[in-house]
Amino acid sequence: MPLTNHAGQSTGPGTTARWVIAGVAGLVAAGAVGAVAAAVRDDAPDTVTFAVFAALTLPFVAALVAILLDRTEHPEQDEDSIESQWTTRASSGAFYDTIIAMGLATFAASVLDTASLPLWLFVVLGLADMSVRLVLLQRREG
Amino acid sequence: MDNRLRVLREGAGLSQAECAHALGVSRQTVISIEKGHFDPRLSLAFRISRLFAVPVDEVFVPDGDLVAPDGD
């Protein structure tokens, strides 16, 4: 069924069409990412590399495309909600913390002449930082 | 920025949940505005003023300018 706005006007593809488009886009992206990974990486058989990277890429891309195609008008206006403001403030603070942590880690690794820390560690730290900030904001202002 | 949202809401006999529903925001947003933790954007400020049929500057006033009603 086509999506409609408050005035009953169609604003995008129907749910089935949206998910078909999202599925096809996911398959194409998964195939491309899997093929590149299989061609570049040499730590596992190509078929295994292709399967792992394609399987991890497909749901992410499909969900992303489905969300982008969703033109449903939601009654909650995110920019008006305190939850939205908490998320913005928490992510902003976590961003600065992550940049500082990466700078200090790079400096320390350079001075000590040690191997630099893996990038995923800062991603995890950044997400943890944002989560803590979000909880603190909710407790303080909620 | 101070505001008279709680006074207006209670005067209209609305719960926080009913007020939030009428404004199209979460109940937490209404709570945060009433506590003075959250200054809404102009669009929400006008929705609030329209809901209670009062001018925006009767809902939101600069800090310290809020005058208590007579008898309070």
Side-chain angles (χ1 to χ4, degrees):
Chain A
M1 191 177 80
L3 298 173
T4 58
N5 61 14
H6 293 312
Q9 298 164 326
S10 177
T11 57
T15 303
T16 304
R18 183 156 53 95
W19 280 107
V20 168
I21 295 169
V24 170
L27 284 170
V28 171
V33 171
V36 170
V40 172
R41 298 180 67 96
D42 55 6
D43 46 2
D46 285 351
T47 50
V48 174
T49 303
F50 178 89
V52 169
F53 278 86
L56 290 173
T57 303
L58 194 153
F60 175 77
V61 173
L64 186 65
V65 172
I67 290 169
L68 290 175
L69 290 176
D70 183 5
R71 291 289 176 266
T72 308
E73 289 190 5
H74 301 285
E76 174 82 8
Q77 301 187 25
D78 286 338
E79 65 273 22
D80 279 336
S81 71
I82 186 66
E83 292 88 347
S84 169
Q85 198 194 67
W86 285 336
T87 305
T88 302
R89 289 163 62 189
S91 58
S92 174
F95 172 77
Y96 285 116
D97 290 347
T98 304
I99 293 294
I100 290 169
M102 292 178 83
L104 290 175
T106 304
F107 176 72
S110 175
V111 170
L112 301 173
D113 196 23
T114 57
S116 55
L117 294 170
L119 195 59
W120 62 262
L121 184 63
F122 294 101
V123 174
V124 172
L125 285 174
L127 289 172
D129 186 353
M130 183 181 163
S131 301
V132 170
R133 284 174 172 275
L134 201 52
V135 170
L136 289 176
L137 279 170
Q138 286 172 338
R139 286 192 178 169
R140 195 165 63 219
E141 301 183 5
Chain B
M1 190 163 65
D2 288 330
N3 70 80
R4 298 177 58 232
L5 179 57
R6 179 184 294 276
V7 174
L8 291 166
R9 177 180 61 75
E10 291 177 349
L14 292 175
S15 68
Q16 288 175 328
E18 290 167 336
C19 183
H21 181 73
L23 293 170
V25 297
S26 66
R27 180 169 165 269
Q28 191 60 57
T29 297
V30 171
I31 293 170
S32 295
I33 293 172
E34 290 185 353
K35 284 183 176 176
H37 290 155
F38 180 47
D39 291 334
R41 294 192 324 148
L42 269 179
S43 58
L44 178 54
F46 277 104
R47 291 209 303 277
I48 293 170
S49 75
R50 199 176 306 126
L51 176 65
F52 297 109
V54 294
V56 173
D57 59 1
E58 282 191 21
V59 185
F60 298 96
V61 296
D63 285 327
D65 282 9
L66 200 59
V67 178
D70 290 343
D72 277 3

